[in-house]
Each structure stands twice: as C-alpha cells, then as structure tokens.
Amino acid sequence: MWLLLNVCVFCLLQYGEGQDRATLWRGNDRSGHCQYTFTVPSPSETSCPPTASGGPEIEGLKTRLSLLEVLVARLTGGETRGPGLGAGSQAGLQEALTQAMGDRSLLQGEKEDLERDVEGLQRRVEEMRRETERLKSRPCYPQSPLVPPSVPLQDSGLRLAGDPAWRYGDNAGFQELKAEVTEIPAPSTEDSTGCGELISIGEPVSHRKADSIAGKYGVWMQDPEAVAPYGGKMVWRIDTVGSEVRQLFGYEDMDQLSKGYPSKVLLLPEPVESTGATLYRGSLYYQRRRSRTLLRYDLASESIAARRDLPHAGFHGQFPYSWGGYTDVDLGVDEQGLWAVYSTNKAKGAIVVSQLDPHSLAVKRSWETSIRKNSVANAFVICGRLYTVASYTAPNTTINFMFDTATGQGKQVALPFRNKYRYNSMVDYNPAQRKLHAWDNFHMVSYDIRLGHQ
C-alpha cells in the first residue's frame, strides 16, 4: 500500500506542476478497506466519451431485458414471478397466454377438419377408381349398322331434315340428317309369374310418424287382395305399445295416413300381441295376447271369423326376435298366400315357417330352418322364400339369410338394408305393391325391392 501511495503521490506531483486543481480523497470502500481517490481535470478534453459500461441507457436496457427474460420463463413454464413483474404485467401475460391457447385450439380444429376432408376425398377417389375398373371390365357388344349397305337410303328409315328430299342451307357443305330410333326394352329380371329371388332393397321412404308413445312399435299394412267394402288403397294401422291393444285405425289412402286423418276406427274384440298382424282378402290376422291362438277378424262384419291355436308355437316371450316385444308369432302374406313365422320347443328356438289356410287358419305345411329366431331382428316371406334381417338398430345392416320352401334349403346372403330411425320393430311384404312395409321407431316407412330370375 505504501508503495502504491508513494507512486500515486509522485504521479500527482509530476502531473500537478503548474496545475492547481488536482484533489486527493481518502475513505473506506463498501467492504471497509481504505481507498485513496485522485481527481484530476483533463488538460485537453472538455467531455468524456461513453465508456464500455454504457451509462444509464445501457442500465435501462438491461432492466427491460431482465423483464423480457422473466416473461419468456413464464411462457415456457418457468418461474411465476420475477423482478419488476407487477400485477398489470401478470394480467397482460395471462391474457396473451389465453389468446395463444385459443389460437392453438382453433388451428387444431381446422387441421382436423382438413384431415377429414382429405379422407373423404380419398374415399371418393377410390370409389371412382373402382367404378372405372368395373366399367372397363364390362364387355362391349358389337352393334349392327343402322343401315345395311344393300338397303337404299330412301328405304332405310333415315329421314332428312324437313322434307324427304335433301335440304341445303346457305353452306352447301353442311347437311343434316335425322334418324328414327326404336327403343328396345332391356330383358326382364323376373319370370312370367313376377316372382324371383330378392336381389336388392331400396332406401326407406317415410310416410307418417306416430303421435304418442303407444306408437313407438306398431304395424301398418294394406290388403294385397282387398274386398268390399274396403278397397286396395285403404291403409290400416295398429299402435302396439300397451297391455290392451285393441284399436285398428283405417285411412282412405296413403295421403290421409300422412296427414293423420283416419276414416275408420275399429275396436277389436280381443287384444293384439305385438307387431305380427297382417291383412289378406278382407280379414285382419293376428295373435291373441298371451296365447298361441291365431284370430281372423273379418273387416266387413267387424267380428271374429275364425280362431285356431298354432301347434306348439312359443308365445309371450318364449321365442321372440332379437328386439323382444313378445314377437313370438309373425304373420305375413306373399304371392303364395298366408304364412306364420315362429318357433317351438322341438325346434329349440330355430325358425319354423308354416303356410296357413287363410279361411280356417289350419297349418298346410311347415319347414324348420337352421337359423335361430332370437338371433335375427325380423323376417318376411317373398315368393315362398323366407328372408331375415340381421339387426333392428344398426343404420346399415343386411338381409342375412334366405330359406327357400320350394327346395327346403337355406343359405347366407348379404343384401344391404337400412334402419333409418334405428329401431325397426316390424317388416312385412306387400305382394301387390312389390314393397316392404316397416315400423321404425315411431315411423311408418316403405322400401322398394327388386327380384331376380325364378
């Protein structure tokens, strides 16, 4: 220290020759050590240039940089507080963070929408590719010339525009011909009787929605062989939810059904069990509640015309369809007459289909199939063939089984079938209209069908 002091004093003496403004200051520093400070004016500079430390501006910049570092730490999950971060800054930071998260969610949603659109386009492209391949694989049949070379033009059936003679316009190089073309109908896919195997079912067409909970399940029908006093346009309907289902509503036509204006309401003498009723030749056929008894109710006389037990048939929940509803006995009509679909203890739950005498209700002939009744949602008969529906709730299901009474053989099939309202409790065939009638979750709907070769 003494050496440093002597050197500094020597420097001061050397610098201070001729100068009278040099000062010496002595004092303790922050750590308590004695420190000497010399203050000497510059002989040539009037002001000092900025030093490396930067002065107040640099210090202010450092302060703002520290604040920015704290904000970055908050955004990346770091410290929640930093020096100089007040309540206002915290609120601003929270608002920015909330907006950033909202923008991120919006972008994520847009990304998902775009991905779905891309997937839809890819499926469409694939469908178009398959359709193109299918069209390419179709054979091109040779076509006969419209006019054999040996036939004169005037005898060919070709007619010139206007008169039979050639008609020229201002441009002699232009001539117009018109040909008379006779359309030849495509070969029919049905035989002469109109019967055949089911090959497709159309989309469901809605006609009416039931007004109350009693119409969640039901049956609606038209007589394929109507007799007086009611015609074939008359529509009949039964809402089957309830313990004493006895009302039969009649509508003059489909238009009145859609408007909900019945022209006839009949009170049946005995209650109906479930959705298995059908109409045929002026009579309503149905199963009596809690029994295997079949009834034929004559619409003209409004009375029971015949009754008979269906031999050994299960009833009231013994062998229903998969949706339940006490659908043990299902009656239907096709081109060959009246049918009953049910099961027995002997058949161990497999579907039995029997053809009935429409007058006496006696069983004419029966067939036992290999498919269990409670494994299918519904069944109907077309041209002596039994068809079953796989599901009553799946919007896109199939007709999954067919049994031919002519051969006694059954087979698996896969014909697309739509349950538009996802609870189909009744499917019946109308041979006069060549349609299926169905009751799908309050809705009365119909399906067009196509039949192939016999």
Side-chain angles (χ1 to χ4, degrees):
M1 176 183 174
W2 286 105
L3 177 60
L4 176 61
L5 180 59
N6 290 333
V7 171
C8 292
V9 171
F10 172 77
C11 294
L12 177 61
L13 293 175
Q14 292 293 322
Y15 183 84
E17 291 181 0
Q19 306 289 336
D20 57 0
R21 286 177 294 175
T23 58
L24 172 65
W25 179 87
R26 185 183 68 174
N28 294 328
D29 62 9
R30 293 180 180 179
S31 61
H33 295 89
C34 181
Q35 187 177 30
Y36 289 85
T37 305
F38 299 94
T39 304
V40 180
S42 171
S44 59
E45 297 172 330
T46 58
S47 64
C48 295
T51 63
S53 62
E57 293 84 3
I58 297 299
E59 291 301 324
L61 185 59
K62 287 181 178 179
T63 301
R64 289 192 293 273
L65 182 59
S66 298
L67 179 60
L68 181 59
E69 289 175 347
V70 172
L71 293 175
V72 170
R74 286 290 305 276
L75 287 172
T76 57
E79 297 179 357
T80 59
R81 273 196 175 270
L85 189 61
S89 299
Q90 289 238 358
L93 178 60
Q94 184 63 40
E95 181 180 356
L97 182 60
T98 302
Q99 182 176 355
M101 295 297 292
D103 293 342
R104 180 178 180 274
S105 300
L106 180 60
L107 290 173
Q108 183 67 25
E110 293 178 353
K111 176 187 175 186
E112 293 174 355
D113 291 342
L114 288 173
E115 288 175 348
R116 283 193 293 269
D117 292 342
V118 169
E119 290 177 359
L121 288 173
Q122 289 175 342
R123 286 194 298 269
R124 181 59 180 158
V125 168
E126 181 63 22
E127 290 173 0
M128 294 176 67
R129 186 191 65 78
R130 288 196 297 266
E131 181 65 13
T132 301
E133 293 297 326
R134 187 184 68 82
L135 293 174
K136 285 181 179 179
S137 64
R138 292 178 61 181
C140 294
Y141 299 102
Q143 297 183 0
S144 301
L146 291 175
V147 183
S150 60
V151 179
L153 181 62
Q154 61 270 22
D155 299 329
S156 65
L158 288 174
R159 185 182 301 172
L160 301 180
D163 298 331
W166 288 97
R167 297 289 298 273
Y168 294 94
D170 295 336
N171 183 359
F174 173 79
Q175 299 171 356
E176 182 182 1
L177 293 175
K178 288 184 179 178
E180 292 181 349
V181 180
T182 302
E183 182 178 353
I184 301 175
S188 174
T189 58
E190 303 170 2
D191 68 1
S192 58
T193 66
C195 257
E197 187 171 327
L198 181 64
I199 59 175
S200 69
I201 304 99
E203 288 292 307
V205 177
S206 300
H207 302 287
R208 174 74 183 169
K209 182 179 180 182
D211 303 312
S212 66
I213 188 61
K216 179 174 177 60
Y217 319 132
V219 54
W220 73 283
M221 52 217 148
Q222 290 180 278
D223 194 337
E225 297 185 21
V227 297
Y230 304 108
K233 292 185 178 180
M234 192 78 176
V235 184
W236 299 90
R237 158 190 171 183
I238 304 174
D239 296 347
T240 60
V241 175
S243 58
E244 287 290 319
V245 177
R246 297 174 61 190
Q247 285 186 318
L248 175 64
F249 298 91
Y251 303 82
E252 289 183 356
D253 52 31
M254 292 295 297
D255 184 58
Q256 295 302 305
L257 172 70
S258 65
K259 294 177 180 177
Y261 299 149
S263 59
K264 189 76 174 178
V265 180
L266 299 177
L267 188 65
L268 301 175
E270 300 186 47
V272 178
E273 180 87 306
S274 197
T275 61
T278 193
L279 272 173
Y280 188 51
R281 296 179 180 175
S283 292
L284 173 72
Y285 296 84
Y286 68 97
Q287 175 193 1
R288 187 184 185 280
R289 178 170 169 78
R290 290 183 177 271
S291 75
R292 60 171 60 93
T293 302
L294 303 183
L295 301 175
R296 178 167 74 88
Y297 177 80
D298 182 68
L299 296 175
S301 64
E302 300 181 11
S303 62
I304 298 295
R307 70 171 62 235
R308 185 181 294 269
D309 283 356
L310 186 59
H312 313 295
F315 63 93
H316 204 65
Q318 285 183 279
F319 303 111
Y321 290 127
S322 59
W323 72 271
Y326 305 124
T327 51
D328 299 77
V329 178
D330 191 8
L331 303 175
V333 175
D334 77 342
E335 293 80 359
Q336 300 179 14
L338 180 65
W339 299 87
V341 178
Y342 59 103
S343 187
T344 65
N345 287 326
K346 181 181 178 182
K348 299 180 180 179
I351 288 180
V352 175
V353 56
S354 295
Q355 191 169 18
L356 306 180
D357 183 296
H359 181 74
S360 66
L361 300 176
V363 174
K364 297 167 68 175
R365 190 176 177 187
S366 294
W367 295 261
E368 183 178 319
T369 72
S370 60
I371 189 166
R372 296 185 62 81
K373 192 165 185 290
N374 63 5
S375 70
V376 298
N378 227 299
F380 52 91
V381 181
I382 299 178
C383 297
R385 297 179 177 91
L386 172 78
Y387 296 91
T388 62
V389 183
S391 172
Y392 61 94
T393 55
N396 296 295
T397 185
T398 60
I399 305 298
N400 63 343
F401 181 80
M402 186 273 286
F403 180 85
D404 191 346
T405 59
T407 64
Q409 300 296 316
K411 66 177 181 179
Q412 300 292 325
V413 295
L415 302 175
F417 183 86
R418 286 262 294 156
N419 293 314
K420 184 175 182 179
Y421 302 102
R422 302 193 178 191
Y423 209 104
N424 213 328
S425 59
M426 163 251 173
V427 182
D428 274 346
Y429 173 59
N430 187 298
Q433 299 176 352
R434 193 58 58 82
K435 292 179 183 290
L436 295 178
H437 291 179
W439 194 293
D440 190 358
N441 202 10
F442 293 95
H443 295 266
M444 286 149 268
V445 301
S446 65
Y447 304 78
D448 288 329
I449 65 168
R450 288 181 59 206
L451 302 180
H453 291 290
Q454 180 72 25

